[in-house]
Amino acid sequence: MSTAMNFGSKSFKPRPPDKGAFPLDHFGECKAFKEKFMKCLRESNYDNSKCRLQSKDYLECRMDHQLMAKEPLEKLGFKDLMDPPPSQADKDSKP
Amino acid sequence: MLLPLLLRPPLCHAQASGLFTGCVRMLHCGAPQGLRFQAEKFLQRRRPHRLHARGRSRRSQNQEEEWRSRNKTVLTYIAAAGVGMIGLAYAAVPLYRLYCQATGLGGTAVAGHDTEQVATMTPVKERVIKVTFNADTHASMQWNFRPQQTEIFVVPGETALAFYRAKNPTDKPIIGISTYNVVPFDAGQYFNKIQCFCFEEQRLNPHEEVDMPVFFYIDPEFDSDPRMARVDTITLSYTFFEAKEGQKLPLPGYSYN
């Protein structure tokens, strides 16, 4: 931790998280999604880019079970993983 | 106030200790002397003497006035300088903070990152950074606390999820509160947590085990910072402490937001 008292020494200042703290998942409601995510990580050699779908699923599970404040997925950085809006899907299904 | 001075003129001739007291005594002594001269002037009625006395009293009066006005201006300047110094001392606190934020001296966090940028940022796919995880507990904290992955490869601009696990092996509920640290310190300013489990009390019941997620991203500007050009590994370290019932801890960095 930052205990150096000399002027000009770089010290670390912890910042609070943007959206606060996650409530604890006492009942393990989203444990299955977490297991899927961890399995994906192990298989992809811990590359986060390959497991973004699973992390999105985990966060959606948390939101469904009141363990996280509901946020649109773009605000969580999942813009590229989102499903297309229903009007476009209708257009696609009616060639 | 002048009365005791009028009654004790011999004091004027007494040796004054210190320049300031001498000056003050001279000022005060000058007044009764001037008054005395004026009294003499009216009583004696000798023209040449009167003129001479008037001239002398006027000159000494003028001198007194000069001294007085000069002293007044000097005192005013000194008082203004004193007030200015006190004002500078108060103004220095926010000014120094602004200076530190502008130059990044002393490792101060860059002035508040934009929380809306999560939605608009694009990942910098060429720059892969390894984030390693570390977990610690305070000596008296009995939880088993460890990360569920030792490392994860992320790119700046992409949100990432990581898990820690905590278990309470004792027979009584324990409340923990955690803080974190990021090394290298310079990279810490680019490490943004969207949501985590730190700085709030977390209660674990006896023999309970929970997964604790950390949702974070590295600012895309990390790639364009020349100081970060050689940084490939960032270590995130959490430490859990035991919290007492009803203890209110100040949120760190609150004053900087």
Side-chain angles (χ1 to χ4, degrees):
Chain A
M1 283 288 248
S2 49
T3 50
M5 290 292 170
N6 41 329
F7 171 72
S9 76
K10 304 262 185 333
S11 67
F12 178 71
K13 300 212 170 21
R15 280 176 288 145
D18 292 343
K19 302 213 193 306
F22 277 124
L24 284 187
D25 184 7
H26 287 282
F27 304 110
E29 284 154 351
C30 297
K31 204 170 161 98
F33 292 91
K34 183 216 75 161
E35 289 299 336
K36 271 194 233 155
F37 175 72
M38 294 306 298
K39 186 156 168 279
C40 165
L41 270 189
R42 277 188 284 261
E43 281 162 6
S44 67
N45 204 21
Y46 295 103
D47 186 357
N48 176 61
S49 325
K50 299 202 171 63
C51 299
R52 297 197 58 233
L53 206 64
Q54 283 81 356
S55 62
K56 175 175 87 83
D57 290 336
Y58 177 78
L59 292 174
E60 274 176 341
C61 165
R62 272 211 160 226
M63 283 194 257
D64 292 334
H65 287 97
Q66 317 288 328
L67 292 169
M68 185 173 161
K70 278 201 186 289
E71 294 261 358
L73 287 173
E74 304 121 356
K75 290 239 178 92
L76 299 170
F78 290 117
K79 191 172 57 181
D80 48 329
L81 293 178
M82 283 178 59
D83 303 324
S87 58
Q88 250 187 359
D90 284 340
K91 263 194 246 161
D92 287 341
S93 65
K94 282 196 275 190
Chain B
M1 198 180 101
L2 285 173
L3 196 60
L5 288 165
L6 280 170
L7 293 171
R8 284 189 275 169
L11 272 178
C12 294
H13 304 291
Q15 288 244 332
S17 58
L19 207 63
F20 184 66
T21 47
C23 187
V24 168
R25 283 218 184 129
M26 207 162 65
L27 271 177
H28 287 307
C29 293
Q33 264 184 8
L35 280 172
R36 257 215 303 206
F37 273 127
Q38 275 192 341
E40 275 177 15
K41 176 179 73 180
F42 281 120
L43 289 171
Q44 281 165 13
R45 294 185 197 187
R46 259 180 273 171
R47 260 197 213 156
H49 264 278
R50 208 168 59 203
L51 276 171
H52 189 57
R54 205 187 292 155
R56 260 221 312 243
S57 74
R58 203 178 290 148
R59 200 171 45 236
S60 65
Q61 256 190 341
N62 280 342
Q63 255 186 346
E64 277 166 39
E65 276 171 22
E66 239 183 74
W67 284 335
R68 261 198 219 125
S69 69
R70 204 175 53 192
N71 282 339
K72 216 180 278 182
T73 45
V74 167
L75 280 172
T76 315
Y77 276 126
I78 292 175
V83 169
M85 293 290 180
I86 294 175
L88 262 181
Y90 276 106
V93 175
L95 284 176
Y96 184 66
R97 197 180 296 164
L98 282 173
Y99 167 74
C100 277
Q101 281 182 349
T103 60
L105 203 67
T108 317
V110 177
H113 60 275
D114 187 14
T115 46
E116 290 309 312
Q117 72 171 17
V118 185
T120 51
M121 65 185 181
T122 49
V124 181
K125 295 236 183 261
E126 310 85 47
R127 187 83 188 270
V128 178
I129 299 165
K130 182 164 87 163
V131 180
T132 49
F133 299 94
N134 183 39
D136 282 319
T137 49
H138 184 64
S140 62
M141 173 57 145
Q142 290 159 306
W143 284 7
N144 295 335
F145 179 57
R146 59 193 186 284
Q148 294 193 33
Q149 67 283 308
T150 44
E151 62 199 18
I152 195 171
F153 294 93
V154 297
V155 294
E158 203 171 62
T159 51
L161 189 61
F163 285 94
Y164 282 80
R165 179 175 295 151
K167 181 174 161 73
N168 179 3
T170 64
D171 291 326
K172 47 181 179 40
I174 295 180
I175 301 176
I177 193 160
S178 67
T179 183
Y180 75 102
N181 195 5
V182 176
V183 268
F185 294 146
D186 294 339
Q189 60 180 330
Y190 292 106
F191 190 90
N192 303 317
K193 293 189 278 87
I194 298 175
Q195 207 160 0
C196 70
F197 52 88
C198 41
F199 310 126
E200 276 199 21
E201 292 179 354
Q202 313 286 357
R203 183 194 171 94
L204 273 187
N205 292 321
H207 304 287
E208 190 180 357
E209 186 171 18
V210 286
D211 299 314
M212 292 171 152
V214 182
F215 194 45
F216 64 93
Y217 68 96
I218 296 179
D219 201 315
E221 286 186 12
F222 180 90
D223 193 36
S224 47
D225 190 341
R227 288 179 300 168
M228 302 288 134
R230 278 173 293 172
V231 174
D232 292 321
T233 309
I234 294 179
T235 303
L236 174 65
S237 173
Y238 273 93
T239 309
F240 253 102
F241 300 88
E242 189 167 344
K244 310 264 186 314
E245 254 338 297
Q247 190 181 41
K248 274 241 166 292
L249 292 174
L251 203 63
Y254 190 62
S255 58
Y256 290 94
N257 283 352

